[in-house]
């Protein structure tokens, strides 16, 4: 249950600021959605965001100031296709990890449920950016 806080207390609170993960498009405690028709390259763009965030590099002028822990969860792309796409990008950062449905016999956790979210959190601890692709 979220904490209740009277408005005057919230206004007076000394709250920590949010930092950039991939400046200026992604900051901590935010959500972003990439949307478009099939076949336009959304997965390549998602990888282009996840990779530099994990490596502390840049993509399309967006810059990560340091490496971040980034799990990439994909529910559709064949593992061999993802492998080929990753090879195009070069040497992979160790802070970028993948959960590919294609490599698992188990049913992926239901991320719409608290139980599924806890299962994911137990698996990855406290990631700084989570990329969901084709769920």
């Amino acid at each position: 249950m979220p904490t209740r806080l009277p408005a005057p207390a919230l206004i007076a609170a000394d709250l920590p600021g949010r930092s950039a993960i991939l400046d200026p498009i992604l900051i901590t405690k935010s959500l972003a959605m990439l949307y478009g028709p099939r076949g336009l390259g959304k997965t390549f763009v998602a990888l282009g965001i996840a990779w530099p965030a994990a490596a502390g590099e840049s993509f399309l002028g967006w810059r990560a100031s340091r490496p971040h822990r980034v799990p990439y969860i994909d529910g559709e792309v064949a593992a061999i296709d993802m492998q080929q796409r990753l090879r195009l990008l070069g040497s992979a950062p160790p802070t970028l990890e993948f959960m590919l449905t294609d490599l698992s016999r188990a049913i992926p956790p239901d991320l719409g449920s608290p139980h599924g979210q806890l299962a994911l959190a137990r698996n990855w601890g406290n990631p700084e950016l989570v990329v969901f692709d084709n769920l």
Side-chain angles (χ1 to χ4, degrees):
M1 174 73 71
T3 302
R4 291 176 56 190
L5 189 63
L10 178 59
I11 291 169
D14 183 21
L15 301 172
R18 298 191 300 168
S19 59
I21 294 173
L22 197 59
D23 192 34
I25 65 164
L26 290 174
I27 58 172
T28 56
K29 297 185 180 184
S30 68
L31 298 171
M33 181 179 196
L34 180 62
Y35 174 79
R38 184 179 195 96
L40 286 183
K42 294 179 300 298
T43 295
F44 276 112
V45 172
L47 287 171
I49 290 170
W51 191 285
E57 297 175 354
S58 65
F59 173 69
L60 297 178
W62 307 323
R63 179 106 184 113
S65 61
R66 63 172 179 78
H68 295 83
R69 293 188 60 231
V70 181
Y72 190 107
I73 303 164
D74 188 282
E76 181 182 272
V77 174
I80 188 72
D81 292 340
M82 185 63 77
Q83 181 185 57
Q84 290 170 349
R85 291 172 184 184
L86 290 172
R87 285 180 175 162
L88 293 173
L89 298 175
S91 179
T95 53
L96 178 60
E97 297 179 335
F98 286 82
M99 182 171 83
L100 304 175
T101 303
D102 185 42
L103 293 177
S104 177
R105 286 188 161 77
I107 296 172
D110 177 1
L111 300 177
S113 75
H115 177 73
Q117 293 167 16
L118 285 173
L120 182 64
R122 277 192 298 272
N123 190 26
W124 269 314
N126 293 312
E128 297 171 275
L129 170 65
V130 180
V131 176
F132 295 100
D133 192 359
N134 294 306
L135 294 180

